[in-house]
Amino acid sequence: VDPQKYKSIFNGFSVTVKEDGVRGLAKGWAPTFIGYSMQGLCKFGFYEVFKILYGNMLGEENAYLWRTSLYLAASASAEFFADIALAPMEAAKVRIQTQPGYANTLRQAVPKMFGEEGIWA
């Protein structure tokens, strides 16, 4: 976030370790873990739902003939909803990692975000 402070990836690691210790490298791990777990669950779950839904809309024969397009449409639809599930956790992670003093944990970040901006934070 600060090109003057972090000149390269290796420099960024060393600066982070000097300032926050090895623990600083794991800052934001909880929202990352939860967010990508939710995204994966939604992605694979909704893919199956949309595949069946779109297949039923097309009919059995057309679903077979257009299976590649059907799979692409199901995948894109699933990804849309999966990204919505990921977005709140990514917002918390970015604030934890890029705004010094904002919050150190997910438990601190979420109530603060909600208090400042409401549910749309």
Side-chain angles (χ1 to χ4, degrees):
V1 215
D2 184 358
Q4 300 302 320
K5 185 176 181 179
Y6 305 104
K7 305 205 183 308
S8 69
I9 188 80
F10 298 111
N11 173 262
F13 280 121
S14 66
V15 169
T16 301
V17 170
K18 284 178 191 170
E19 290 180 354
D20 297 327
V22 176
R23 195 177 169 128
L25 295 174
K27 204 172 210 183
W29 74 269
T32 301
F33 177 77
I34 294 168
Y36 282 99
S37 296
M38 290 169 37
Q39 185 194 35
L41 177 71
C42 290
K43 190 183 299 188
F44 293 109
F46 283 135
Y47 171 74
E48 294 299 325
V49 169
F50 284 118
K51 188 171 68 171
I52 292 167
L53 178 72
Y54 296 158
N56 289 339
M57 289 170 60
L58 289 172
E60 188 175 342
E61 187 174 334
N62 283 332
Y64 177 76
L65 292 172
W66 293 91
R67 65 187 174 273
T68 301
S69 297
L70 182 140
Y71 299 155
L72 282 168
S75 177
S77 299
E79 185 66 34
F80 175 80
F81 289 103
D83 288 345
I84 291 171
L86 170 64
M89 292 295 121
E90 276 295 294
K93 179 194 78 153
V94 167
R95 289 180 186 181
I96 290 169
Q97 291 178 341
T98 63
Q99 294 179 6
Y102 186 81
N104 288 320
T105 65
L106 181 61
R107 280 190 240 175
Q108 292 172 346
V110 171
K112 191 170 185 178
M113 289 169 60
F114 182 74
E116 292 174 355
E117 300 175 46
I119 194 75
W120 299 108

